[in-house]
Amino acid sequence: MAAQEANFDGIVGPTHNYSGLSFGNVASSASKANISNPKQAALQGLGKMKALLDLGLVQGVLPPQERPDVASLRRIGFRGSDHEIVIQAGKTDPAILAAASSASSMWAANAATVSPSADTADGKVHFTPANLSNKFHRSIEADTTSRALQAIFRDPARFAHHAPLPSNASFGDEGAANHTRLCAEYGGPGLEFFVYGRRAFYPEKAAPAPEPTKYPARQSLEASQAIARLHGLSPENALFAQQDPGAIDAGVFHNDVAGVGNKNALFYHEEAYADRKGVPAALRERFKRITKQDLILVEVPSDAISIERAVRSYLFNSQLISLPGSDKNEMMLIAPEECEQDSAVKSYLETVLLPDPRQPIRKVRYFNLKESMRNGGGPACLRLRVVLTPEEIRGCNPKALLNEALYAQLVSWVERHYRDRLLPSDLADPALLDESRSALDELTQLLGLGSIYPFQISRP
Ligand code: SUG
């Protein structure tokens, strides 16, 4: 059997809440202080995973993180027992406690950048966990993410795990959300397309466009180049392009809010890249050289869907999947329900895109992911794509791969451990820390991960 693309989705953690932590992510700011429903959030995520499993895809899970992250609170000077620290931080610094409590690791597209073995010099699958240095609440994910990835992709003969890049704006790295692999066949040679928001070094070198003025550009060119180097990609197989600064200022804080690719197709908004003509041309030319095939560029013009509408509906944060068993290269969009509720987007999809025989997308399925969407996380944010050969699948921890039984166990685990209502002010309740830790303790056993959380590692 040939290589396939597996999706590893982040399980939403028990502290999922709306604290408005992500400046530049308009949904996160707009949802600030709303009531969240962690149980519903986790079940919505599991529902999408199960649907993809039922479609015949390989589906894996990534565990949530320990939150509130008491270790980070200690690092910045809070003292006392774990409970005392949570209570104290809640009194004096609720915004910092909120940052230390975010369930943001659910957005697995930001967990790491992954290069399949067909692209790398040593023939291993390479992983670099993202440092997520632009936001404090996300920068504290990388260490546990590293341990989780190593506990899942565990055969050292097949998987290479790198340390996160230095945690600094110059090497700001947001993982696979700014990385797309294009190929003719998953197991064949691929073009790894890296999109960055800013250049950190060599200001004298003219960049295609200036930096955004309103919102931060989280990914640097130098971070993307470092990853290509670490993963042993050849210069031929990696292409770097700047995101349109205007798109970032419109709320495209990651490139996966403006485009999604799969195999030989790229579905993207006209305003995604700074060099609107040059980037598609370069992709087309490079793809042809690598695969001897034509790249299908499905560009959505601004006068059909404005960039603001794309951000509101999260159209481009859909997953673009190849339907297993279809030998005709047929693809399906896994879109958020917000696209169905926006009449312009729905009509574009159903009357313009799907009927167009020049492009491969034949079906759209809408999913209710509202809890995650309100923090700016759509279907594509929730998954990390990993192209795996059958031998590589066998080199994974089998307990992290979803099947009917694991799905049922995870649903029951969520039902037993999660609250159905949470306000940012509830984060100061030390009982939430205990609930979260006992849930995670059980989960690491379910998934056979060993000790990956600080509270487990420091346990006598
Ligand atoms: O980094 N939201 C995340 C959303 C990440 C979406 N991922 C991709 N596009 N791949 C972020 O901005 C909000 C948390 C809060 O406000 O409580 C947050 O972190």
Side-chain angles (χ1 to χ4, degrees):
M1 221 177 116
Q4 13 179 353
E5 182 181 87
N7 289 290
F8 284 77
D9 278 47
I11 300 175
V12 179
T15 59
H16 159 64
N17 76 97
Y18 300 117
S19 288
L21 299 174
S22 277
F23 178 64
N25 166 345
V26 287
S28 152
S29 302
S31 301
K32 184 173 179 168
N34 281 355
I35 301 170
S36 65
N37 184 334
K39 184 178 282 181
Q40 201 60 52
L43 294 175
Q44 287 171 354
L46 285 169
K48 173 172 86 76
M49 297 183 220
K50 177 68 163 55
L52 267 68
L53 176 74
D54 291 344
L55 283 170
L57 301 186
V58 179
Q59 179 69 55
V61 299
L62 290 174
Q65 300 213 351
E66 178 189 345
R67 296 289 180 269
D69 179 12
V70 180
S72 286
L73 293 171
R74 281 188 195 283
R75 210 173 143 189
I76 55 171
F78 287 96
R79 289 287 175 266
S81 69
D82 289 359
H83 279 192
E84 282 162 358
I85 285 177
V86 169
I87 294 167
Q88 188 57 34
K91 272 196 198 125
T92 59
D93 281 295
I96 295 178
L97 177 64
S101 304
S102 175
S104 53
S105 69
M106 72 177 84
W107 298 299
N110 306 117
T113 306
V114 185
S115 294
S117 51
D119 298 350
T120 61
D122 63 1
K124 294 186 186 184
V125 185
H126 282 244
F127 297 82
T128 301
N131 60 27
L132 299 167
S133 66
N134 189 260
K135 303 270 181 266
F136 170 68
H137 72 284
R138 304 224 57 188
S139 69
I140 56 178
E141 292 172 31
D143 289 347
T144 298
T145 299
S146 295
R147 287 190 289 270
L149 291 173
Q150 292 181 47
I152 295 171
F153 303 98
R154 57 187 184 186
D155 179 355
R158 305 194 188 279
F159 303 117
H161 293 275
H162 302 279
L165 299 182
S167 189
N168 176 277
S170 296
F171 288 101
D173 172 27
E174 301 278 320
N178 293 319
H179 171 257
T180 307
R181 178 179 188 259
L182 301 161
C183 59
E185 293 302 331
Y186 291 124
L191 168 56
E192 299 204 15
F193 178 39
F194 293 84
V195 181
Y196 62 93
R198 60 186 286 267
R199 183 194 278 269
F201 294 85
Y202 311 113
E204 68 282 7
K205 284 193 194 169
E211 288 187 24
T213 53
K214 193 171 163 200
Y215 292 143
R218 298 193 197 182
Q219 180 92 26
S220 78
L221 166 62
E222 290 80 357
S224 300
Q225 289 171 329
I227 288 170
R229 240 186 335 261
L230 283 166
H231 291 196
L233 305 182
S234 73
E236 174 75 359
N237 291 66
L239 192 85
F240 304 89
Q242 190 187 349
Q243 222 185 323
D244 189 312
I248 296 179
D249 281 340
V252 185
F253 58 97
H254 290 137
N255 181 247
D256 67 3
V257 177
V260 58
N262 175 50
K263 278 192 160 175
N264 63 342
L266 185 67
F267 176 58
Y268 64 101
H269 193 272
E270 180 184 357
E271 293 171 43
Y273 313 113
D275 183 351
R276 291 191 190 170
K277 293 238 169 337
V279 172
L283 283 168
R284 197 191 298 270
E285 190 251 346
R286 193 75 76 81
F287 187 83
K288 182 88 181 187
R289 273 216 310 270
I290 295 173
T291 66
K292 319 281 177 259
Q293 290 195 15
D294 291 323
L295 180 64
I296 304 171
L297 291 164
V298 189
E299 182 179 292
V300 179
S302 306
D303 57 15
I305 308 278
S306 69
I307 191 75
E308 290 75 19
R309 193 180 283 279
V311 170
R312 262 198 318 276
S313 63
Y314 257 41
L315 169 61
F316 297 98
N317 201 258
S318 298
Q319 285 176 250
L320 183 55
I321 58 168
S322 292
L323 289 174
S326 146
D327 49 2
K328 298 201 301 281
N329 195 32
E330 290 183 332
M331 300 188 194
M332 182 194 265
L333 271 185
I334 302 294
E337 234 173 49
E338 283 71 2
C339 290
E340 192 178 24
Q341 288 150 0
D342 181 317
S343 55
V345 172
K346 183 169 195 268
S347 138
Y348 171 79
L349 283 173
E350 293 175 11
T351 66
V352 180
L353 185 75
L354 295 186
D356 183 350
R358 294 165 301 178
Q359 61 79 36
I361 306 170
R362 299 272 70 90
K363 287 184 186 153
V364 181
R365 249 180 89 174
Y366 303 101
F367 283 81
N368 176 2
L369 296 163
K370 289 215 164 18
E371 287 287 326
S372 166
M373 283 287 287
R374 289 192 189 112
N375 256 337
C381 298
L382 287 161
R383 59 91 173 98
L384 181 66
R385 305 202 266 193
V386 189
V387 167
L388 295 167
T389 64
E391 297 75 39
E392 288 158 358
I393 293 179
R394 282 194 288 278
C396 293
N397 174 348
K399 290 187 163 177
L401 296 176
L402 198 70
N403 54 30
E404 293 276 343
L406 179 60
Y407 172 73
Q409 284 172 317
L410 289 173
V411 168
S412 141
W413 170 81
V414 169
E415 301 277 8
R416 281 181 287 113
H417 290 282
Y418 281 52
R419 298 190 185 186
D420 57 11
R421 182 191 148 92
L422 203 64
L423 272 166
S425 53
D426 296 325
L427 300 170
D429 175 5
L432 184 65
L433 174 69
D434 296 342
E435 287 163 32
S436 175
R437 285 179 173 172
S438 54
L440 297 181
D441 236 356
E442 191 180 322
L443 184 70
T444 44
Q445 289 179 30
L446 261 179
L447 302 179
L449 298 175
S451 295
I452 57 166
Y453 298 114
F455 80 95
Q456 295 175 319
I457 295 166
S458 65
R459 207 157 36 195

